[in-house]
Amino acid sequence: MLKDFKPVLSILLRFIIVYVVLLLSYQFYLNSFAQLGLDPFSRCIAEKVKDLQNFMGYPTSLYNDIKGQQIYFKVKNIYATRMVEGCNAISVMILFASFVFAFYKGKKTFIFVFSGLFLLYVMNVFRIVGLNIVMTDYEQYGKMAHDFIFPAVIYGTVVVLWLIWIKFFALKK
């Protein structure tokens, strides 16, 4: 009977191992920057958001709150939003990569994961830009945008990438 479930258990075990290893590595990374405020990856995203918003005509500056481990976006002279570690989408990226590695298919797995991570990075930058614009120009929709619309965008991207991986790569002979 266990023989029948061996493929499923193998996939599940790979997922759990990759997920735990990536999660522990990320936590180690965060702990190493705890005294410096927000981690460098989150700062990088904040800088990209600021650059894109300035390019789009939304004058933006950043205020670094080291003690609070956050960065505030000042858009059009309004403190529109703040970015904390959870806004960097790393936890979503870890979940995405763990699932894809659970259905490991050699070299193409790494190519797909790196391509997917890049797409998620770009989508996350646009998600934060969109949220800043909503909070600046349409504040009455801010809570709905933050809690429902923009999470649906990032998680929806992950689900679409998973479906592509399964349909065109993992189950293909």
Side-chain angles (χ1 to χ4, degrees), residues 91-105:
S91 58
V92 175
M93 293 176 186
I94 288 172
L95 194 62
F96 161 74
S98 299
F99 179 85
V100 173
F101 277 115
F103 294 89
Y104 184 78
K105 294 294 179 186

Side-chain angles (χ1 to χ4, degrees), residues 92-150:
V92 175
M93 293 176 186
I94 288 172
L95 194 62
F96 161 74
S98 299
F99 179 85
V100 173
F101 277 115
F103 294 89
Y104 184 78
K105 294 294 179 186
K107 183 171 66 171
K108 61 184 168 184
T109 307
F110 289 95
I111 294 169
F112 190 83
V113 165
F114 288 124
S115 301
L117 291 176
F118 178 74
L119 177 63
L120 289 171
Y121 173 83
V122 170
M123 290 297 292
N124 192 47
V125 168
F126 281 110
R127 177 184 73 89
I128 297 169
V129 167
L131 184 58
N132 282 333
I133 290 171
V134 167
M135 293 303 284
T136 303
D137 293 349
Y138 310 99
E139 190 176 355
Q140 67 272 24
Y141 302 112
K143 181 159 178 51
M144 181 178 59
H146 179 271
D147 293 349
F148 302 109
I149 295 171
F150 290 115

Side-chain angles (χ1 to χ4, degrees), residues 157-170:
T157 303
V158 169
V159 169
V160 168
L161 287 171
W162 283 345
L163 292 172
I164 290 169
W165 174 249
I166 293 298
K167 180 160 177 66
F168 296 108
F169 298 99

Side-chain angles (χ1 to χ4, degrees), residues 1-43:
M1 184 163 149
L2 190 58
K3 194 181 213 182
D4 295 336
F5 294 109
K6 189 176 179 186
V8 173
L9 293 175
S10 174
I11 289 168
L12 185 60
L13 185 61
R14 269 193 305 245
F15 173 82
I16 291 169
I17 289 171
V18 172
Y19 183 77
V20 168
V21 166
L22 290 176
L23 197 62
L24 291 174
S25 300
Y26 180 54
Q27 191 58 54
F28 177 77
Y29 164 80
L30 288 177
N31 290 344
S32 65
F33 293 102
Q35 301 303 319
L36 302 174
L38 204 56
D39 64 281
F41 185 75
S42 298
R43 288 176 195 273

